[in-house]
C-alpha cells in the first residue's frame, strides 16, 4: 500500500506538488507568525525587564516589606557565582538600591531620589539598549560619579561636571553622605525613572552606604523565557524561603502582564484565523484531488480492492504529502527565523516612539524556539490528518456505479 | 444470508425480475425492468441495445456494483445483494473479472504489476503471481511489454492487459462494459480474438455490453435490451 501511495504521487506531479505547496504554505506562515509573535513578546518582556528588573529577582523578605537599607541582604561572591553557573542563566546582576536627598549649591531646595548601584559592565548593554546617553560617558568600573535622567537634569538645572551633595541613611546606623559629580545624562524611556532615579556604580554605592557585599536585589536574566521556572526552582533550592523572596518576571512587571496577555490572546486569534485560512486551502486541495479520482477509486473497488485498503493507501499518500510540505517549510523557515532573531525588522516613525514609551525595543524580533517549530509541525500535520478523514469518508461512501459513469469519466484526469 | 438455489452447476449467473430505477428530476427512469436472465459456464454473450437501453446498468447489477430496486441476482447460487459491502468486494475479488471502457489499469504500475495486482489483493504469494502473470502475458501476446507502463501502450494493448488482469484472479466470469468502444478496427479485432481464444481454449465465460457490430458478429449469444427490458435473446453457432 505504501509503495502504491508513493508511486501515485509521481503519477500526477502537478497535483502532488499543489498539495505539498498547500501544506508548505500552511506550515511556512504558521512557523513565521508563531516565531514573530513569540519574538515580539519575548523581546518586549526582555526590554522592559532591562529597566524594571530581571527575569528573576531575589531579595530579603524584610527588605521587601520595609524597603529599608538595614534590611538589604549580604551575599558572598561564591553564592553569586553558583547562580551564574546554573543552566540557562544569561547573567546575574546585583543591585544596591536606596533613597537619598540630593541638593546643589545653585538650587535652594533638596530633592528625594532613588539611587541604584549597578555593575557598570554587566548593566551597560542592558540599560543602554533602551536608554541612550545624551551627555557624558557611561560608567567604567571605578567611576564614582552618577548618571541621571534628562528630565531630572532639567528639574535641577544641572549638567555634566556639576556636583551633587547627597545625604541619606547608611547601612546599620551609618550615614550616607557625600559629594558626587554628575558624569552623564541619559534619556531614559520610563518617565518615573527619568524624573527621580540616579545611577551609580555598585562599588560606589556600597562605599556610600557602607554596605560591602550587600545588595538590595539580585536580578537574574535567563537565556530563554520558557526556562525561567526551571531556574527559579533551582534558586529556591539554594535560598531559604523564610529569609528570601524569589519572584519571577510575571510578578515583577505585573502591570504589563495584562497587555502581554492581551497581545498573546490577539496573537492566538490571528493564529487561529491563519489556521482556518491555510486549513481551508489544504482542505480545498484534498477535496479537489479526491473528487477528480472518483473513477479510479471506483475501478479499484470494482476489481476487488477493499474500501479500507484503498482508504489506507490514500491516507499514506496524504501523510507523505503532508510530511514533505511540513519538512520543507521547517527547512526553509529555519534560516529565516534565525536571521531575524539576530537582525530584527526595523520599525520607523511613530511606532518607534510609542514602543520607546513602554521601554520596548523598536524592532520586530523573531524567536528561534525549536519547541515552536515542533509545535507548528505537529499542528499542521494534525490539520492534514484531520482533513485526511475526508477522502476516507469519500471512499467509504462512494457509489461505485456512479463513479464508473461514462458521463463523469475522463481518463485525462487520471 | 446466502441462498443456494441453482442446482444446475453450469449456471453462473441468474437474475430474477431484476429492476433498477433512477430518479431524473421528478420522473422515474427504469434502467432495467424485470430482467430474467441466465448465464451458463463458457458463454460468450453480448448485451446489445441502443444507448440508454440499460446495458451498463445490467452489467453493474450482475457485478454487484449497484443494488437493484427490486429483484435478485444470483452468482453461483448466491444472492449477491444479501452480502455486505465488504463481503461483496471480497466476492468480486474472487469471482468476477472486470474490463471497463476507460481506465482499467493503474497508471503507476507496469503491465506485469497491473496483472499481478488483483492476485496481490487475493493474497497470492510472489512466485504464484510471477508464474500466472507470465502465463497471461503469453496468452495476450504481450510478453515483451511486461515492464512497460500503461501510458506507453496503445488503447488495444491496454484493453488486452485489462482482460489479462481480469483473468488473473481466475474468476467465474468476466464482465466487460463496451471493451472495444475506444478502439480502432484492428485493435478491436485483436482484442476480440484474444477474448474468443480464452473463451474457446480456457472456457472463460464472457458477458459484455456493446453496440459495436464487429463484436456482435462474434458473440454466440445476443441479448437485446430496449428500455431496460429484454426484447430478444438469440443464440448463434459461429
Amino acid at each position: 500500500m505504501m509503495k502504491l501511495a508513493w508511486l501515485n504521487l509521481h503519477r500526477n506531479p502537478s497535483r502532488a506538488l499543489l498539495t505539498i505547496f498547500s501544506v508548505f504554505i500552511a506550515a511556512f506562515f504558521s512557523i513565521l507568525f508563531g516565531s514573530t509573535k513569540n519574538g515580539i513578546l519575548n523581546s518586549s518582556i526582555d526590554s522592559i525587564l532591562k529597566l524594571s528588573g530581571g527575569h528573576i529577582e531575589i531579595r530579603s523578605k524584610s527588605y521587601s516589606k520595609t524597603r529599608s537599607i538595614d534590611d538589604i541582604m549580604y551575599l558572598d561572591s561564591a553564592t553569586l557565582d553558583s547562580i551564574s553557573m546554573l543552566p540557562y542563566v544569561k547573567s546575574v546582576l546585583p543591585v544596591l538600591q536606596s533613597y537619598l536627598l540630593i541638593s546643589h549649591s545653585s538650587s535652594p531646595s533638596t530633592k528625594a531620589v532613588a539611587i541604584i548601584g549597578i555593575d557598570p559592565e554587566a548593566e551597560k548593554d542592558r540599560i543602554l539598549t533602551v536608554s541612550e546617553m545624551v551627555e557624558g560617558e557611561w560608567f567604567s568600573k571605578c567611576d564614582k560619579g552618577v548618571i541621571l535622567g534628562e528630565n531630572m537634569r532639567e528639574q535641577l538645572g544641572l549638567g555634566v561636571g556639576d556636583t551633587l551633595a547627597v545625604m541619606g541613611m547608611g547601612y546599620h546606623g551609618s550615614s550616607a553622605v557625600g559629594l558626587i559629580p554628575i558624569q552623564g545624562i541619559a534619556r531614559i524611556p520610563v518617565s518615573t525613572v527619568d524624573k527621580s532615579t540616579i545611577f551609580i556604580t555598585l562599588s560606589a554605592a556600597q562605599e556610600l552606604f557602607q554596605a560591602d557585599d550587600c545588595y538590595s536585589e539580585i536580578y537574574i536574566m535567563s537565556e530563554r523565557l520558557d526556562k525561567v521556572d526551571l531556574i527559579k526552582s533551582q534558586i529556591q533550592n539554594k535560598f531559604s524561603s523564610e529569609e528570601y523572596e524569589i519572584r519571577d518576571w510575571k510578578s515583577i512587571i505585573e502591570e504589563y502582564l495584562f497587555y502581554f496577555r492581551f497581545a498573546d490572546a490577539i496573537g492566538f486569534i490571528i493564529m487561529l484565523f491563519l489556521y482556518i485560512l491555510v486549513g481551508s486551502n489544504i482542505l480545498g486541495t484534498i477535496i479537489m484531488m479526491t473528487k477528480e479520482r472518483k473513477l479510479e477509486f471506483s475501478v479499484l473497488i470494482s476489481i476487488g480492492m477493499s474500501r479500507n485498503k484503498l482508504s489506507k493507501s490514500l491516507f499514506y499518500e496524504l501523510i507523505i504529502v503532508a510530511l514533505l510540505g511540513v519538512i520543507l517549510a521547517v527547512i526553509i523557515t529555519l534560516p529565516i527565523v534565525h536571521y531575524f532573531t539576530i537582525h530584527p525588522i526595523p520599525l520607523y516613525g511613530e511606532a518607534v516612539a510609542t514602543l520607546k514609551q513602554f521601554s520596548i525595543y523598536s524592532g520586530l524580533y523573531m524567536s528561534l524556539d525549536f519547541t515552536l517549530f515542533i509545535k507548528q509541525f505537529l499542528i499542521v500535520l494534525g490539520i492534514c490528518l484531520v482533513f485526511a478523514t475526508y477522502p476516507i469518508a469519500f471512499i467509504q461512501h462512494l457509489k461505485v456505479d456512479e463513479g464508473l459513469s461514462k458521463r463523469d469519466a475522463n481518463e485525462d484526469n487520471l | 444470508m446466502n441462498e443456494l438455489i441453482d442446482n444446475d452447476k453450469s449456471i453462473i449467473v441468474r437474475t430474477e425480475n431484476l429492476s433498477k430505477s433512477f430518479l431524473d428530476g421528478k420522473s422515474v427512469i427504469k434502467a432495467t425492468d424485470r430482467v430474467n436472465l441466465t448465464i451458463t459456464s463458457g458463454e460468450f454473450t453480448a448485451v446489445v441495445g441502443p444507448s440508454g437501453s440499460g446495458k451498463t446498468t445490467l452489467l453493474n447489477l450482475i457485478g454487484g456494483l449497484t443494488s437493484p430496486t427490486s429483484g435478485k441476482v444470483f452468482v453461483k447460487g448466491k444472492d449477491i445483494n444479501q452480502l455486505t459491502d465488504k463481503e461483496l468486494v471480497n466476492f468480486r475479488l474472487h469471482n468476477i473479472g472486470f474490463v471497463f471502457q476507460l481506465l482499467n489499469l493503474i497508471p503507476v504500475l507496469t503491465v506485469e504489476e497491473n496483472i499481478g495486482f488483483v492476485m496481490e489483493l487475493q493474497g497470492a504469494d510472489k512466485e504464484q503471481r510471477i508464474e500466472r502473470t507470465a502465463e497471461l502475458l503469453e496468452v495476450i501476446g504481450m510478453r515483451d511489454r511486461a515492464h512497460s507502463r500503461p501510458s506507453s501502450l496503445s488503447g488495444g494493448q491496454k484493453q488486452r492487459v485489462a482482460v489479462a488482469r481480469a483473468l488473473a484472479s481466475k474468476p467465474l466470469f468476466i464482465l466487460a462494459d463496451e471493451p472495444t468502444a475506444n478502439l480502432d478496427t484492428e485493435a478491436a479485432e485483436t482484442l476480440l480474438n484474444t477474448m474468443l481464444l480464452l473463451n474457446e481454449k480456457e472456457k472463460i465465460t464472457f458477458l459484455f455490453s456493446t453496440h459495436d457490430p464487429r463484436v456482435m458478429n462474434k458473440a454466440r449469444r445476443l441479448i437485446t435490451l430496449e428500455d431496460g427490458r429484454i426484447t430478444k435473446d438469440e443464440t448463434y453457432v459461429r
Side-chain angles (χ1 to χ4, degrees):
Chain A
M1 286 304 114
M2 188 59 103
K3 185 191 167 192
L4 187 62
W6 176 247
L7 289 172
N8 266 329
L9 291 178
H10 295 80
R11 197 170 97 204
N12 192 334
S14 53
R15 182 172 62 199
L17 283 174
L18 186 69
T19 319
I20 290 170
F21 185 68
S22 298
V23 179
F24 165 78
I25 288 291
F28 180 83
F29 283 111
S30 58
I31 290 173
L32 281 194
F33 185 78
S35 298
T36 311
K37 180 176 86 83
N38 286 1
I40 292 171
L41 188 70
N42 291 352
S43 64
S44 304
I45 291 168
D46 198 45
S47 55
I48 289 169
L49 288 175
K50 283 188 171 167
L51 280 176
S52 309
H55 290 119
I56 298 168
E57 180 188 274
I58 308 169
R59 61 188 177 198
S60 77
K61 277 200 162 167
S62 50
Y63 178 78
S64 192
K65 282 182 196 157
T66 64
R67 297 280 170 163
S68 161
I69 187 85
D70 285 339
D71 291 322
I72 58 175
M73 59 192 168
Y74 168 82
L75 289 178
D76 57 24
S77 57
T79 308
L80 293 178
D81 289 346
S82 73
I83 299 171
S84 309
M85 305 286 272
L86 290 174
Y88 301 109
V89 169
K90 190 175 167 187
S91 55
V92 176
L93 307 163
V95 164
L96 177 56
Q97 187 174 182
S98 190
Y99 301 93
L100 288 171
L101 289 173
I102 59 169
S103 62
H104 183 259
S105 54
S106 66
S107 171
S109 61
T110 57
K111 181 177 169 62
V113 296
I115 179 165
I116 304 177
I118 52 172
D119 179 337
E121 294 302 314
E123 299 271 10
K124 186 179 178 183
D125 288 342
R126 197 168 87 106
I127 293 177
L128 290 186
T129 315
V130 283
S131 309
E132 57 180 306
M133 295 298 296
V134 290
E135 214 180 316
E137 295 292 324
W138 181 253
F139 300 118
S140 60
K141 193 104 186 167
C142 302
D143 283 342
K144 302 285 184 191
V146 293
I147 291 174
L148 44 93
E150 235 182 347
N151 211 311
M152 192 190 290
R153 186 261 301 266
E154 281 167 23
Q155 283 175 23
L156 297 173
L158 302 175
V160 172
D162 291 332
T163 300
L164 293 173
V166 301
M167 188 177 74
M169 204 171 87
Y171 189 49
H172 284 180
S174 63
S175 298
V177 181
L179 292 171
I180 306 175
I182 298 170
Q183 77 167 66
I185 308 292
R187 185 172 296 137
I188 302 166
V190 181
S191 61
T192 49
V193 178
D194 200 44
K195 272 185 217 162
S196 57
T197 302
I198 59 174
F199 292 91
I200 190 168
T201 62
L202 184 61
S203 56
Q206 285 172 335
E207 194 182 317
L208 177 68
F209 291 103
Q210 296 178 44
D212 286 351
D213 292 333
C214 289
Y215 311 97
S216 55
E217 285 99 358
I218 306 290
Y219 296 124
I220 294 136
M221 299 302 286
S222 168
E223 283 170 2
R224 283 169 52 178
L225 203 58
D226 59 338
K227 296 295 174 191
V228 170
D229 287 343
L230 174 73
I231 300 170
K232 188 181 168 188
S233 70
Q234 286 172 319
I235 291 173
Q236 278 168 332
N237 292 336
K238 289 178 182 288
F239 289 83
S240 149
S241 61
E242 284 175 13
E243 281 183 59
Y244 297 95
E245 183 183 77
I246 296 158
R247 300 196 302 160
D248 61 21
W249 64 274
K250 289 175 205 154
S251 49
I252 298 170
I253 55 168
E254 215 163 1
E255 68 268 36
Y256 288 95
L257 216 56
F258 168 77
Y259 298 104
F260 288 139
R261 285 196 180 126
F262 182 71
D264 205 29
I266 296 282
F268 175 76
I269 291 167
I270 295 172
M271 280 296 266
L272 209 61
F273 274 111
L274 185 69
Y275 289 139
I276 291 169
L277 198 72
V278 295
S280 42
N281 186 29
I282 296 173
L283 183 63
T285 313
I286 289 175
I287 290 174
M288 187 187 71
M289 135 184 170
T290 306
K291 288 202 165 171
E292 69 180 20
R293 291 170 71 182
K294 195 173 166 186
L295 173 60
E296 173 197 345
F297 298 150
S298 300
V299 167
L300 288 170
I301 294 169
S302 303
I303 64 169
M305 188 170 190
S306 77
R307 290 176 196 261
N308 287 346
K309 268 189 183 166
L310 186 55
S311 300
K312 205 189 276 183
S313 168
L314 200 62
F315 184 75
Y316 288 152
E317 264 185 58
L318 284 170
I319 292 295
I320 295 169
V321 160
L323 279 173
L324 286 173
V326 177
I327 290 170
L328 194 67
V330 169
I331 291 170
I332 291 179
T333 50
L334 204 59
I336 297 174
V337 172
H338 181 251
Y339 179 83
F340 287 112
T341 303
I342 302 162
H343 308 95
I345 301 161
L347 293 174
Y348 302 97
E350 280 185 26
V352 179
T354 310
L355 289 175
K356 279 252 175 183
Q357 274 181 1
F358 291 94
S359 353
I360 293 172
Y361 299 131
S362 52
L364 294 181
Y365 282 85
M366 285 191 183
S367 165
L368 186 64
D369 180 357
F370 289 102
T371 55
L372 179 118
F373 277 79
I374 294 167
K375 197 172 146 192
Q376 297 306 326
F377 180 96
L378 292 176
I379 287 173
V380 176
L381 202 61
I383 290 173
C384 295
L385 290 184
V386 170
F387 291 158
T389 55
Y390 172 79
I392 292 170
F394 182 88
I395 286 168
Q396 296 299 330
H397 296 100
L398 177 65
K399 287 186 176 170
V400 176
D401 58 328
E402 284 176 15
L404 292 169
S405 160
K406 292 178 191 85
R407 276 174 306 182
D408 298 335
N410 180 3
E411 207 163 2
D412 294 339
N413 281 338
L414 306 157
Chain B
M1 292 292 289
N2 302 328
E3 295 174 43
L4 283 167
I5 295 173
D6 302 311
N7 294 323
D8 185 348
K9 299 273 184 199
S10 66
I11 295 176
I12 291 177
V13 176
R14 188 165 64 84
T15 68
E16 212 177 82
N17 290 323
L18 194 60
S19 298
K20 177 79 182 178
S21 305
F22 296 103
L23 266 179
D24 185 14
K26 285 183 181 173
S27 56
V28 177
I29 293 171
K30 286 184 177 176
T32 59
D33 188 10
R34 286 164 288 159
V35 171
N36 290 297
L37 173 72
T38 303
I39 305 290
T40 54
S41 179
E43 280 191 26
F44 195 73
T45 302
V47 179
V48 299
S51 289
S53 59
K55 302 185 294 291
T56 299
T57 304
L58 179 62
L59 259 58
N60 284 347
L61 285 164
I62 292 171
L65 301 178
T66 187
S67 50
T69 310
S70 64
K72 289 179 178 178
V73 177
F74 297 96
V75 175
K76 267 288 172 189
K78 190 173 279 193
D79 182 353
I80 61 169
N81 301 118
Q82 296 296 314
L83 301 176
T84 63
D85 184 72
K86 203 173 174 183
E87 287 169 336
L88 201 52
V89 169
N90 199 42
F91 186 79
R92 280 200 299 264
L93 175 64
H94 291 93
N95 295 288
I96 310 172
F98 286 91
V99 179
F100 300 102
Q101 188 180 328
L102 286 171
L103 185 85
N104 275 291
L105 308 177
I106 302 167
V108 288
L109 302 183
T110 62
V111 164
E112 192 179 51
E113 287 166 339
N114 262 290
I115 296 172
F117 185 70
V118 175
M119 286 187 278
E120 204 176 334
L121 292 175
Q122 285 180 319
D125 62 41
K126 201 175 176 182
E127 269 179 31
Q128 278 178 302
R129 293 203 310 260
I130 292 170
E131 197 181 321
R132 178 86 175 134
T133 305
E135 198 180 295
L136 290 165
L137 281 169
E138 193 68 50
V139 172
I140 61 168
M142 287 181 63
R143 201 163 195 166
D144 56 330
R145 304 306 300 268
H147 303 295
S148 304
R149 301 253 179 220
S151 56
S152 66
L153 303 180
S154 68
Q157 286 173 323
K158 281 183 195 171
Q159 291 300 72
R160 273 150 62 201
V161 176
V163 170
R165 202 252 330 262
L167 281 170
S169 60
K170 298 186 175 170
L172 283 171
F173 64 104
I174 289 178
L175 288 174
D177 187 15
E178 310 234 18
T180 58
N182 290 335
L183 305 183
D184 60 32
T185 310
E186 196 186 334
E189 189 74 24
T190 313
L191 178 68
L192 277 171
N193 288 340
T194 307
M195 286 164 66
L196 270 171
L197 185 80
L198 287 162
N199 174 254
E200 282 163 10
K201 291 202 171 169
E202 313 270 331
K203 303 294 172 208
I204 305 293
T205 308
F206 280 92
L207 176 62
F208 48 91
S209 66
T210 187
H211 51 248
D212 182 345
R214 296 165 303 187
V215 183
M216 291 182 208
N217 289 337
K218 302 252 179 183
R220 292 201 191 88
R221 184 181 169 194
L222 278 180
I223 297 169
T224 310
L225 277 183
E226 272 174 41
D227 296 327
R229 305 192 72 166
I230 295 178
T231 52
K232 267 190 217 167
D233 187 347
E234 299 158 312
T235 308
Y236 301 93
V237 179
R238 308 252 190 224

